[in-house]
Amino acid sequence: MFDAVLFVVATPIGNLGDMTPRAVEVLQSVALIAAEDTRHSSRLMAHFNIKAPMISLHDHNERQRLQTILDKLAAGDSIALISDAGTPLISDPGFILVRAVREAGFKVVPVPGACAVITAMCASGVPADKFVFEGFLPAKRVGRKQKFEALVAEERTVIFYESTHRILDSLADMRDVLGEDRYVVVARELTKTFETIHGDTLGNVIEWITADHNQQKGEFVLLVQGVELESSDGPSPEALKVLDVLLEELPVKQASALAAKITGEKKNALYQIALNRK
């Protein structure tokens, strides 16, 4: 039905009812399906009576699969790329393949559908006109804190993925850097039976999730509301003078927090200035 096309096909993130008719049609018609995990995807294929053969394509073998896929496209076959759930390439493998296929002159066609980032965003209640997606947080605390420090003054909504094993540690690190009053939404198990979308200040969210072990299970999307736009005038000269004095003796985080307490200026603004002056 299709000739020499790579289809990038979104699949459900939980609820099988979110599989689009077009996605089923494409997967039933292609000569080959490149799946992140063929064992995982075989259940989806069986549910929709999709008989196309599958090969694995994941982080560890993507480059090795390129020639096989390019050869099949050159022979006139069409191929579909899927991930374990959601839209391929969004914190999943596929970028190397898609770029190589395009550079080889073949057509790449998206088949849109479920995506955890967008699903969480539209139901979160945080500003959605501008946002930045950071993918999975670093596994180690030092890396996580560095990531949060780089985003402390971000005015857009910031979105992360996190796993059940690190959710409490990541929220604690987020609180340490961004402050317990920053508004955050925890979205877990989206479209599944135990879907939860809960928003509050970081301090309250940590209390809530710590008190209920069930809320620590599953796949998480974390949405952090950006800082408020600062006035064009910025901190007063007096506040900057206080900040400079404190920076001579204290680390950036402590100096900016203390300067904010003394002067009444916003801590995030002083923190960003302090980072630039150190």
Side-chain angles (χ1 to χ4, degrees):
M1 181 177 178
F2 304 111
D3 294 326
V5 175
L6 174 66
F7 292 94
V8 182
V9 182
T11 56
I13 58 177
N15 192 320
L16 292 179
D18 295 333
M19 187 76 162
T20 68
R22 183 182 174 208
V24 174
E25 179 189 11
V26 167
L27 293 176
Q28 288 176 337
S29 302
V30 295
L32 181 69
I33 298 171
E36 187 177 0
D37 184 333
T38 56
R39 292 170 299 178
H40 177 90
S41 295
S42 63
R43 296 189 290 272
L44 181 71
M45 301 302 111
H47 182 85
F48 289 102
N49 194 33
I50 295 166
K51 305 294 188 182
M54 289 191 291
I55 61 170
S56 65
L57 187 143
H58 46 70
D59 286 329
H60 304 295
N61 74 349
E62 187 171 357
R63 292 186 185 278
Q64 287 70 36
R65 291 295 195 200
L66 291 182
Q67 196 57 54
T68 297
I69 292 174
L70 290 173
D71 287 346
K72 289 192 74 66
L73 290 170
D77 291 331
S78 282
I79 298 171
L81 170 68
I82 62 173
S83 61
D84 285 348
T87 302
L89 279 77
I90 310 301
S91 283
D92 277 324
F95 159 70
I96 295 171
L97 173 63
V98 168
R99 184 172 62 179
V101 169
R102 289 180 59 85
E103 288 178 348
F106 297 107
K107 191 174 182 179
V108 178
V109 174
V111 181
C115 177
V117 177
I118 304 304
T119 303
M121 182 83 258
C122 69
S124 67
V126 296
D129 55 335
K130 295 180 180 179
F131 63 90
V132 56
F133 174 57
E134 289 286 335
F136 282 97
L137 283 162
K140 296 185 178 179
R141 173 158 292 166
V142 171
R144 286 197 299 269
K145 286 196 168 184
Q146 288 175 342
K147 175 66 70 175
F148 295 142
E149 286 167 358
L151 295 165
V152 70
E154 176 60 63
E155 296 168 353
R156 298 168 293 180
T157 296
V158 185
I159 306 175
F160 304 99
Y161 285 162
E162 190 49 285
S163 70
T164 183
H165 306 294
R166 293 194 294 268
I167 185 63
L168 289 177
D169 289 340
S170 290
L171 287 171
D173 292 339
M174 189 183 294
R175 176 196 57 200
D176 291 345
V177 176
L178 304 183
E180 63 179 11
D181 294 328
R182 182 70 73 93
Y183 190 82
V184 64
V185 174
V186 175
R188 59 176 287 272
E189 294 295 272
L190 290 169
T191 79
K192 300 175 185 175
T193 302
F194 298 106
E195 174 182 276
T196 305
I197 302 174
H198 180 82
D200 206 333
T201 62
L202 264 168
N204 289 340
V205 162
I206 290 172
E207 288 185 9
W208 165 77
I209 199 170
T210 301
D212 187 349
H213 184 72
N214 288 325
Q215 298 298 344
Q216 301 168 29
K217 300 176 181 178
E219 298 174 330
F220 292 84
V221 183
L222 303 177
L223 305 99
V224 184
Q225 186 163 309
V227 297
E228 295 180 4
L229 288 169
E230 304 293 342
S231 68
S232 58
D233 294 335
S236 67
E238 292 77 11
L240 296 179
K241 184 175 180 180
V242 170
L243 179 63
D244 287 337
V245 171
L246 292 172
L247 282 171
E248 293 176 2
E249 304 294 336
L250 298 172
V252 166
K253 184 179 177 183
Q254 289 178 266
S256 55
L258 186 55
K261 186 177 292 187
I262 293 170
T263 65
E265 298 281 359
K266 295 200 174 186
K267 182 170 67 175
N268 285 333
L270 291 172
Y271 181 85
Q272 191 60 42
I273 293 170
L275 284 176
N276 294 332
R277 294 193 176 191
K278 266 293 189 178

